Amino acid sequence: MPLKVDYDAIVVGAGFAGLALMHYLKEVGISVQVFDKATDIGGTWTWNRYPGAATDSEGYYYCLTFSKEILQEWSWSRRYPGWEETLKYLHFVADKCDMWPDIQLNTEIVSADFQNDTGLWLIKTGDGKQYTCKYFISAMGMISEPVIPKIKGLKKFKGPSFHSSRWPQEGLDYADKRVGIIGCGATTVQMLPAMAQTAKNVTVFQRTPNFVLPAMQSQMTPEWEKEIKDNYDEIIAKCRNHSFGMAFDSPVGRNAVDTPAEERQKIFEEHWKGSFRWVFETFDDLLVDPAANKMAADFIISKMKEVVKDPEVADILTPKGYPLFAKRPPLEHDPGFYESFNRDNVKLVDIKDREPIVEITENGVRTTLDHYEFDIIVLATGFQAYTGALEAFDIRGVSGTTIRDKWEVESKSIMGVCIADYPNLFTITGPQAPFANLPTSIQQNALWISDCIKKMESEGYDLCHPLPEAEDEWSAHVAEIHRQTLMDVGDKVHSWMMGANIENKNARVLVYFGGAGVYYDKLRESVNQGFPELSFS
Ligand code: NAP
């Protein structure tokens, strides 16, 4: 007698990845249940409700492309939509595709155990319920598990204090308040200028300065929208083939190091029009040749120094000793991040070289030189990228080992989509996948997963076991490519791209830098060859 399963597939997470999976798995014809601990769908875009939160990819390709109808029907209001608009868009997708009946919100998964006797996954939720499923799929997001810094006295502070990705869902009135922000990555680059408009004052505690590129927001016009909608096939193909999953026109066929200085400067200037395009549509060697990388880095720094009036502040904001892209560069939106430091109500504190934080007190932050009083403290201290969500609760495979324990020293996977020892478990954008425009990667991953499940269902397989030798091979390949890049900086700059932002954990290879387009080809090749990385039974 066949075993009773509650659902064929349980998906955890109802953001871009969860919705994409629902679409592709429904096409396979299996039953799918999505759980999410949040109060709404949206993932990143429901958690990160901080002021100024917006996409850093241009909205018209930071979206799901499986439905031509939705692409034509939905209209973006501007180049980079804010969190509210992105969330509205995801609701539109869920409505159009009738996804709501299969989504259960406010439900946290607390454990997932593979049952060796039945070959099913047993999933337990925070409300004391349990469910069985054949396939367990993580759509939890690669940047979702917050890093809470280990700062003395963190709990002593009397006012509101929270991680940026846990911004109070009902909103927070910060007008005329004194705000302290600890951390200065992409989140703060968006949040600071927005908050400084109405807060009494905002103080940013910065450890490592970043290379900040301009976003240059603009409103969508009817002409631009028509051009986009008339050319969506081409836009989707560009993303599919690009090294970072973006609809960019690159490679451009020229190198910075081979271009005369005057001409190079002219090209840098002409392309200073917002978005990561600047990195990819100027020269092809900026991320591979240290000399070219330095030219780009110097240009960005010179632009920053044109804006920031106080030379001492500009010096604190100047990245030193690491190449552009060894940390993910933030984009500054409007009003600008650098411009904010010209305001009387914004202060930058260098906690690396000048005055490290000593403790958090009842009413502020004490550094080695001063005590700063606040009404609100925001911890914009980043995420345990790629691995954090999968390590946050116990997921036990055939051997009973948790993913957390398996990844203690190295975080190996097969193409970021499955993990040896965890049969019938799939991950969207797991470790050792590329870092790319996320909706592009998410859909390519969801396609691979649904194709694998389609094979199992149509050929009558109960189990697929990711092969340990395939995992070793992929990890070695990813590490080999990583060694050849400028991003291989170990734990020098606490980059989340190497897990080097997690205290007491060694830096490791988490990103496949062989090019997203190449990686998507590899996923297709795997499907076409019948999934040689897996054994089926
Ligand atoms: P982040 O870039 O990792 O920045 C975290 C900041 O907190 C860094 O300045 C870090 O300093 C600091 N920090 C961490 N622990 C600290 C401690 N114990 N004491 C003092 N400072 C500490 O995090 P994020 O800004 O949240 O961004 C993470 C990623 O999320 C981005 O790179 C991006 O991929 C994504 N994101 C995307 C968007 C978008 O596309 N719209 C917006 C926001 C974020 P160190 O650098 O010295 O470690």
Side-chain angles (χ1 to χ4, degrees), residues 54 56 149 183-187 190 207-208 327-328 380-383 494 496:
D56 276 351
C184 197
T187 297
Q190 292 187 336
R207 203 161 58 180
T208 312
K327 285 169 93 74
R328 190 277 215 182
T381 41
F383 298 86
H494 319 124
W496 60 255

Side-chain angles (χ1 to χ4, degrees), residues 1 119 157 220 289 296 343 346 389:
M1 208 171 68
F157 185 66
M220 183 61 71
D289 184 324
R343 297 176 66 103
V346 171

Side-chain angles (χ1 to χ4, degrees), residues 33 38 99 121 163 196 229 231 266 457 511 523-524:
Q33 175 67 38
M99 290 172 168
W121 281 91
H163 188 271
K229 291 187 172 173
N231 291 290
K266 190 164 159 262
E457 294 301 303
V511 183
L523 289 172
R524 278 298 91 200

Side-chain angles (χ1 to χ4, degrees), residues 45 50 53-57 143 147 149-151 163-164 182-188 190 205-208 210 327-328 333 351 357 380-383 435 493-494 496 501 503:
W45 303 102
Y50 60 81
T55 66
D56 276 351
S57 291
I143 304 178
V147 169
K150 294 187 177 74
I151 301 175
H163 188 271
S164 52
I182 299 178
C184 197
T187 297
T188 298
Q190 292 187 336
F205 296 89
Q206 176 197 264
R207 203 161 58 180
T208 312
N210 280 290
K327 285 169 93 74
R328 190 277 215 182
H333 291 247
I351 56 170
I357 293 177
T381 41
F383 298 86
F435 177 50
V493 285
H494 319 124
W496 60 255
N501 60 332
E503 278 181 54

Side-chain angles (χ1 to χ4, degrees), residues 323-368:
L324 168 67
F325 247 83
K327 285 169 93 74
R328 190 277 215 182
L331 291 195
E332 60 168 359
H333 291 247
D334 302 320
F337 168 74
Y338 287 139
E339 184 65 46
S340 304
F341 293 101
N342 296 331
R343 297 176 66 103
D344 292 338
N345 70 338
V346 171
K347 184 172 172 61
L348 180 66
V349 179
D350 175 358
I351 56 170
K352 183 162 179 260
D353 296 326
R354 296 175 199 214
E355 44 179 316
I357 293 177
V358 176
E359 62 174 342
I360 292 181
T361 64
E362 281 187 4
N363 55 354
V365 174
R366 189 185 314 285
T367 66
T368 49

